[in-house]
Amino acid sequence: MPLDTLENTLTHELSDLLSAENQIAKALQVVAKNADSPQVKQMAEEHHQETVGQIENLKQAFQILGSKPERGMVCKGAQGIVEENNSTLKEEKPKGAIKDVALVAGSLRIEHYEIAGYTSAIALAKTLGKREVVQLLQTNLKQEQETARKLQAAAPELLKMAHSENGSAASAPAPKTAAPKAPAKKPAAKAPTAKATTKKAPAKKAAPRKK
């Protein structure tokens, strides 16, 4: 679809968001399955349900606009983040609280990506006077923002747990070692001072008297 009008641009943005949400719905199931933290698992499950509703909101937005999603549209931005998050689990194999920290970090990347996408789409819909579409998109945006807030709130406690479980040699202060003492300097030898000697002049012989 050529992006030669704002209407086409809005359709393109909504198609991108729909693709992203479909990918993220699956990704959230992976997060819920792998999370050790009950809090992280619950957030993923709850947001998965929200994401299903967001997909329906996007489909409704297309109906209001009288358009259809672009065929074959794949949101490469979401795809890249999801693949990166999955590779972290498979290749790096984090465990315990560190794994939960990694899951939260990856989820935050996704949320901020979605927030940017919805913000752009809302601006386009407002410009075109599509109030109903704006309302649907704002509903999705608020859910993304709230999810991001929950993830950020959960992070500090998870970081403390990860630090407690594994410790951090890098952060522990290095034991203080006494600096080696410099060898005491020997007093410099005094140069011998030459004693002033005064040579006595030889005594003058008395001149012989004339007879």
Side-chain angles (χ1 to χ4, degrees), residues 22-32 44 48 82 85-86 110:
N22 280 312
Q23 294 180 64
I24 292 164
K26 296 177 182 178
L28 286 165
Q29 292 177 317
V30 174
V31 173
H48 175 264
V82 170
N85 292 347
N86 289 340
I110 290 174

Side-chain angles (χ1 to χ4, degrees), residues 3-203:
L3 302 184
D4 51 2
T5 65
L6 286 181
E7 286 81 4
N8 284 354
T9 304
L10 178 57
T11 297
H12 178 80
E13 290 294 321
L14 294 180
S15 299
D16 194 67
L17 284 167
L18 182 59
S19 171
E21 295 294 7
N22 280 312
Q23 294 180 64
I24 292 164
K26 296 177 182 178
L28 286 165
Q29 292 177 317
V30 174
V31 173
K33 181 181 178 181
N34 285 276
D36 288 339
S37 164
Q39 185 182 12
V40 176
K41 186 181 293 290
Q42 182 179 353
M43 283 192 293
E45 291 172 346
E46 289 177 353
H47 193 47
H48 175 264
Q49 293 301 317
E50 288 179 337
T51 302
V52 172
Q54 291 171 0
I55 291 170
E56 293 304 314
N57 286 347
L58 288 168
K59 289 179 179 179
Q60 190 176 345
F62 279 110
Q63 291 176 353
I64 294 169
L65 294 171
S67 60
K68 294 181 180 180
E70 292 182 33
R71 286 186 178 182
M73 165 64 76
V74 176
C75 178
K76 294 182 180 179
Q79 184 181 50
I81 298 174
V82 170
E83 287 178 355
E84 182 179 359
N85 292 347
N86 289 340
S87 68
T88 298
L89 292 176
K90 293 178 182 178
E91 297 175 14
E92 306 302 331
K93 298 179 181 179
K95 297 179 181 179
I98 289 182
K99 179 171 66 174
D100 290 322
V101 169
L103 290 171
V104 167
S107 297
L108 267 174
R109 289 190 188 95
I110 290 174
E111 293 309 312
H112 286 294
Y113 181 81
E114 291 180 289
I115 288 169
Y118 279 113
T119 301
S120 299
I122 288 170
L124 284 166
K126 282 183 176 180
T127 302
L128 294 170
K130 306 296 182 181
R131 293 183 180 180
E132 292 178 272
V133 174
V134 170
Q135 290 175 353
L136 290 167
L137 297 178
Q138 284 179 335
T139 297
N140 288 10
L141 175 60
K142 288 177 182 178
Q143 290 175 345
E144 306 297 2
Q145 291 171 330
E146 180 61 16
T147 299
R149 186 195 66 78
K150 289 178 180 178
L151 289 166
Q152 288 176 317
E157 186 61 29
L158 291 172
L159 288 168
K160 286 181 182 178
M161 290 174 62
H163 183 74
S164 177
E165 285 180 6
N166 297 275
S168 178
S171 64
K176 293 182 179 179
T177 56
K181 293 182 178 179
K185 291 183 179 179
K186 294 182 179 180
K190 293 182 179 179
T193 53
K195 293 183 179 179
T197 56
T198 54
K199 292 184 178 180
K200 294 182 179 180

